[in-house]
Amino acid sequence: MIRLIATDLDGTLLQPGGVLSDRTRATLDAVDADVVVVTARPPRFVQDLALTGTAICANGAMIYDLTSREVTHAQTVPLDVVRKVADALAGVIPNVGIAVETGLEVLSEPGFLGFGQKFPHRTLELLDHVVEEAQQVVQILAWAPDSEADHMMEVARAAVGQHVTVTHSGGIGLLDISPPGVTKAATLESLCNARGIGKHEVIAFGDMPNDLSVLGWAGTAYAMGNAHPLVKQACNNHAPPNTEDGVAQVLERLFGI
């Protein structure tokens, strides 16, 4: 029996361009189960998808009520750890630039160009200014122009893994760095415990390394057809790609829709 559906957004539930298709929306409305979005995105990027229920945002650092549009829980990286991580990464990753997600906006030093023109962010003159103005940090973002994300992740984990959680969500040369012990799975498990839902009653969908914790925890896990090789290797079940409404196809079959 499936009581909760945990799904990533980009490359999983959403079609290219961040579009939630009519078919997928109708399927989510029809299933008799809780739907929890589990994403690297902060709340401001999920609030306009016209979904209800709960979103686990910033790779597990924030819980957001999609109905009331309120953050109900947030875990932060201490500011001294932000500085320590930035200094350590500068020593092992050439030309690395740092930005921070505060939960309300992204602040970056000039060397951070990881978003290009895709997402608004505010660039400050020095990293010290970024840390001073941030007040709170739910996620550190590290970008390097000449680094491949998988290799960069390995290097960063070796350098700062004792202080923070390091993963990536598919951006070229872009790392997502969370508070220590914070993952999508850890927050989802806490949420399920509060609702009296066991992991054997959870089905999860994902496509990138930052989804591996959830896919490894859930009783049933599906890698998308367009997933990163590490994700495909980790899952026995594979859904059609997001471009073909893969999540909806699996749910329609399982729920008899």
Side-chain angles (χ1 to χ4, degrees), residues 10 25 66 69 90 98 114 116 126 128 165 196 206 215 217 237:
D10 298 287
R25 187 183 300 279
L66 289 161
R69 296 195 171 196
I98 300 295
L126 298 170
D128 282 345
T165 301
L215 296 171
W217 177 81
N237 302 312

Side-chain angles (χ1 to χ4, degrees), residues 42 102 105 129 142 147 207 227 230 245:
T102 69
E105 65 175 336
H129 298 162
S147 296
D207 72 310
L230 289 175
D245 293 315

Side-chain angles (χ1 to χ4, degrees), residues 182-207:
V182 172
T183 64
K184 289 184 174 185
T187 304
L188 179 63
E189 181 177 16
S190 177
L191 189 71
C192 287
N193 288 341
R195 297 182 182 184
I197 296 173
K199 65 180 182 180
H200 63 285
E201 298 172 301
V202 176
I203 185 171
F205 297 87
D207 72 310

Side-chain angles (χ1 to χ4, degrees), residues 80-98:
D80 63 319
V81 174
V82 175
R83 295 178 187 273
K84 185 181 298 184
V85 167
D87 289 344
L89 293 182
V92 295
I93 300 175
N95 302 314
V96 68
I98 300 295

Side-chain angles (χ1 to χ4, degrees), residues 34 50 60 90 106 125 222:
D34 292 351
V106 171
E125 186 177 358
Y222 277 83

Side-chain angles (χ1 to χ4, degrees), residues 123-171:
T123 302
L124 303 180
E125 186 177 358
L126 298 170
L127 181 62
D128 282 345
H129 298 162
V130 169
V131 176
E132 289 167 6
E133 190 153 342
Q135 296 187 2
Q136 75 165 23
V137 172
V138 297
Q139 203 168 30
I140 305 168
L141 303 166
W143 176 81
D146 303 314
S147 296
E148 192 271 329
D150 288 334
H151 175 68
M152 191 175 168
M153 182 171 66
E154 290 180 9
V155 170
R157 283 178 173 173
V160 299
Q162 70 272 36
H163 303 299
V164 287
T165 301
V166 181
T167 187
H168 78 79
S169 50

Side-chain angles (χ1 to χ4, degrees), residues 55-71:
I56 293 172
C57 295
N59 282 331
M62 307 180 79
I63 300 178
Y64 182 70
D65 188 317
L66 289 161
T67 304
S68 66
R69 296 195 171 196
E70 293 179 341
V71 174

